[in-house]
Amino acid sequence: MSAQFIISAARVEQFPPEAEPEVAFLGRSNVGKSRLLNALVGADEAFISYPPGCTQLINFYQVEGGLRFVDLPGYGFAKVPHEITKAWKALIEQYLFTRRPLKLAVLILDARRGWMDKDVELREWLEYHQRPYIVAATKTDKLKTQKERHHSLSALRQGYTGELLECSAITGRGVREIWQAISKIKTQP
């Protein structure tokens, strides 16, 4: 699977023309959005960095097979001024609310951290605005014992009854399942 970078957008006017179905990747800073995106396309197309908050624009990628992946800025722990995080939130909301080709949002959680307030807020926003989404719990490779895994799954299930995809960009776990969810959007109007 190949992907090609299209553009990094800081404003709505910079979004590429609406064409193919889009899959947006959302989550807290440093939760593994860009790394998961890379695992899905089998390459290092997205910029990966360890300091939280490095994805500061909305990044669009053309993916083989007539799809676009959209990597959105993380929320939560980025060490940037409040005015910038406020601008990110407004830009993300504009994208999520107005973008017609958006067919699926992948809400990414760190399996070790579970649901945090901002994750729940985002999930509720997606549900209220009737935006289809799936939940992917990343970094499952960092859960070393059965007890840690059980505790993580219990925490992730609290207040959430939908599908939960456990994944790891390092081991590839869950990549096929995410692709199966993505493939369903191509048959939607």
Side-chain angles (χ1 to χ4, degrees), residues 10-41:
R11 297 181 313 279
V12 173
E13 308 83 58
Q14 296 175 324
F15 292 172
E18 294 183 347
E20 294 87 6
E22 294 177 355
V23 178
F25 294 82
L26 305 107
R28 290 189 315 273
S29 299
N30 214 31
V31 76
K33 292 179 306 300
S34 298
R35 191 175 290 275
L36 179 59
L37 195 148
N38 287 342
L40 287 167
V41 298

Side-chain angles (χ1 to χ4, degrees), residues 133-146:
Y133 71 94
I134 60 173
V135 176
T138 60
K139 303 186 182 187
T140 57
D141 56 287
K142 297 188 184 296
L143 302 171
K144 300 299 181 192
T145 67
Q146 192 65 14

